[in-house]
Amino acid sequence: MEQYEWEQLSPEQKKIQLYLEQKKTLETFLAHGAISRAQFDKSLTDLTVKMGMNGAGA
């Protein structure tokens, strides 16, 4: 995402984008065997809860 696009987002939209980027990172770690499925599931659950993303973008 370009800087201009980022600046146009609302705080809630920025939060969603940050969540999706973190989720993508976890998926990459899982795909490359850097973390186990159990670690992925725990980390994603923790991320989702801490960012209040239950049902939004998950």
Side-chain angles (χ1 to χ4, degrees):
M1 177 171 291
E2 297 293 326
Q3 181 68 28
Y4 175 78
E5 293 172 315
W6 179 258
E7 291 171 357
Q8 302 307 307
L9 297 178
S10 70
E12 184 64 23
Q13 290 170 319
K14 287 178 182 178
K15 182 177 167 181
I16 291 169
Q17 288 302 313
L18 289 170
Y19 172 81
L20 293 174
E21 286 298 319
Q22 290 297 310
K23 182 179 175 188
K24 182 178 170 183
T25 299
L26 288 172
E27 290 167 344
T28 300
F29 288 166
L30 179 63
H32 291 282
I35 60 174
S36 69
R37 171 52 87 171
Q39 289 170 314
F40 171 84
D41 291 342
K42 170 88 169 84
S43 294
L44 182 58
T45 298
D46 290 348
L47 177 68
T48 301
V49 170
K50 287 179 183 178
M51 291 192 73
M53 301 302 287
N54 301 351

